Amino acid sequence: MLTRLLLPALFVAASAVPASAADPFRKVSADVNQKMVKIFGSGGFKGVTNYTTGIIISPEGHLLSVASQTLDADGVIVHLYDGRRMKAKVIVTEPDLDVAMLKIVPDGKKIDEPTNLDLPYFDVLEAAKRPNAGAGDWVLSFSNYFEIAMRDEPVSVMRGVVAAYSPLDARRGVFDFPYTGNVYVVDAITNNPGAGGGALTDRKGNLLGIVGREIKNRKTETWINYAIPVNATVNVKDGEKTVTLKMTEFVDLGMKGKYKPIQRVKIATGIGGYHGIQFVPNLLERTPPYVDDVSPNSPAAKAGLKPDDLVSFVDGEPIFSIKAFQEYIKKTRPGETIRLEVRRGEALQTIDLKLDEHPKVPVSNK
């Protein structure tokens, strides 16, 4: 896995201490830190963190982050630069851009009501008009990787250079990563747990891109340190048509409540196919999908699932709870093969599971 070492020569702590000649990034770090949030949501069990990073993109408290499992919650908590702890709701996500938009919802307010927060923010639409950074340009990466900051503690800053600006060809686990547009490849170890959704800026604090998640290069099997540009575009198939998705349109329409993601969900069939997995007791709102047992001669047994396996992905979609797995299965049919990625011990296993007809329940004559 990607070496999780910080580079002392490249690590700068954001602080409100006055700038000095010895630390030229201090003022930029302090200014950018005011436009960052620490996000806490679902996860927190083995192999799945429950924290990530976001940037403020409007004075009303609209936030931009990556479309991670942390946001799979009825509500998430964000910590602002000044220590305030507030609730936020997901407004819309776009998997093919790997971004999500949230909005802070103060107590007593509804999501569509003005917040009157008047927060410092990045103007993404203006940032997208600036020229792209080039190879060799200095950059700063701001994020809350490793959950290093809480409440009013500043996020971390990594200094590096742009190594390349090129299309992304990557995977997450065994699945192809949905975003395939251009990215900034950064010569610094920026994409650690919790860093996703952070800000990549130039040395003056101007926003360049959104720090991405932990993924691997499909060709070299090496971990990638990258950021998705604020002017990102990607072409995707919508039926017979090819549609161009733009980060700027996502931000602009998302804040207006008008962004409509391309629908790629399966049509629900009701009960779905039979798998034979018996999960642990579903006692919590978001009980992790740990396998307790498998029914004899069931599809799960034939596929090799074992007790204590943790189902992490189904057909490339992250699964964070037993309920989420059950909802996904409802959209399947007998005879369909689904691909599971399960965590077994410290390793990830890929399992193809062919669903079957549900066993017939004998009817009693009594």
Side-chain angles (χ1 to χ4, degrees), residues 36 55 64-66 96-99 132-134 137-143 158 160-170 177 179-192 195-202 206-215 223-233 247:
M36 307 295 300
I55 65 173
L64 196 62
S65 187
V66 291
D96 286 292
L97 289 171
D98 196 38
V99 288
N132 290 330
D137 287 350
W138 282 21
V139 290
L140 299 172
S141 173
F142 297 81
S143 70
M158 292 290 291
V161 298
V162 175
Y165 184 79
S166 64
L168 186 66
D169 185 11
F177 197 63
Y179 179 76
T180 57
N182 287 323
V183 296
Y184 291 111
V185 181
V186 183
D187 186 12
I189 303 175
T190 55
N191 296 59
N192 282 300
L200 187 77
T201 76
D202 63 17
N206 295 313
L207 184 66
L208 296 172
I210 309 302
V211 177
R213 292 191 280 169
E214 300 164 84
I215 57 175
W223 295 88
I224 307 172
N225 295 292
Y226 74 100
I228 299 175
V230 289
N231 60 0
T233 62
M247 183 75 76

Side-chain angles (χ1 to χ4, degrees), residues 116-353:
N116 302 316
L117 290 171
D118 195 22
L119 297 172
Y121 69 100
F122 286 110
D123 188 330
V124 175
L125 301 184
E126 285 300 315
K129 297 177 183 178
R130 286 191 287 268
N132 290 330
D137 287 350
W138 282 21
V139 290
L140 299 172
S141 173
F142 297 81
S143 70
N144 191 29
Y145 58 25
F146 297 122
E147 199 179 8
I148 199 168
M150 301 281 285
R151 303 303 285 261
D152 62 349
E153 295 172 330
V155 296
S156 300
V157 188
M158 292 290 291
R159 178 171 65 85
V161 298
V162 175
Y165 184 79
S166 64
L168 186 66
D169 185 11
R171 66 178 179 83
R172 184 170 173 83
V174 299
F175 301 103
D176 290 340
F177 197 63
Y179 179 76
T180 57
N182 287 323
V183 296
Y184 291 111
V185 181
V186 183
D187 186 12
I189 303 175
T190 55
N191 296 59
N192 282 300
L200 187 77
T201 76
D202 63 17
R203 64 172 71 191
K204 295 182 179 179
N206 295 313
L207 184 66
L208 296 172
I210 309 302
V211 177
R213 292 191 280 169
E214 300 164 84
I215 57 175
K216 279 188 174 181
N217 185 311
R218 284 204 309 121
K219 296 178 180 178
T220 64
E221 290 299 308
T222 54
W223 295 88
I224 307 172
N225 295 292
Y226 74 100
I228 299 175
V230 289
N231 60 0
T233 62
V234 62
N235 294 324
V236 298
K237 283 287 188 180
D238 181 13
E240 298 297 320
K241 301 183 297 182
T242 297
V243 179
T244 299
L245 303 179
K246 300 179 180 180
M247 183 75 76
T248 51
E249 288 185 358
F250 175 81
V251 171
D252 184 32
L253 297 178
M255 288 195 292
K256 296 174 181 176
K258 296 180 179 180
Y259 188 84
K260 302 295 182 184
I262 297 174
Q263 298 298 315
R264 293 183 179 81
V265 299
K266 298 181 179 181
I267 298 174
T269 60
I271 191 170
Y274 171 65
H275 50 79
I277 302 173
Q278 300 175 29
F279 288 108
V280 296
N282 191 11
L283 302 177
L284 305 174
E285 181 181 357
R286 293 183 180 274
T287 304
Y290 279 102
V291 177
D292 188 43
D293 201 356
V294 294
S295 300
N297 300 318
S298 67
K302 295 174 183 177
L305 279 162
K306 298 180 179 181
D308 296 329
D309 283 347
L310 173 62
V311 178
S312 301
F313 292 86
V314 179
D315 290 337
E317 293 191 16
I319 298 295
F320 314 111
S321 65
I322 294 173
K323 180 181 177 181
F325 180 87
Q326 292 169 339
E327 290 299 320
Y328 188 91
I329 289 297
K330 288 179 181 179
K331 304 170 187 176
T332 63
R333 293 176 172 84
E336 182 177 343
T337 298
I338 58 176
R339 171 162 287 191
L340 308 181
E341 188 174 356
V342 302
R343 183 173 293 276
R344 182 174 295 169
E346 295 300 322
L348 289 174
Q349 304 282 335
T350 303
I351 295 176
D352 290 332
L353 190 155

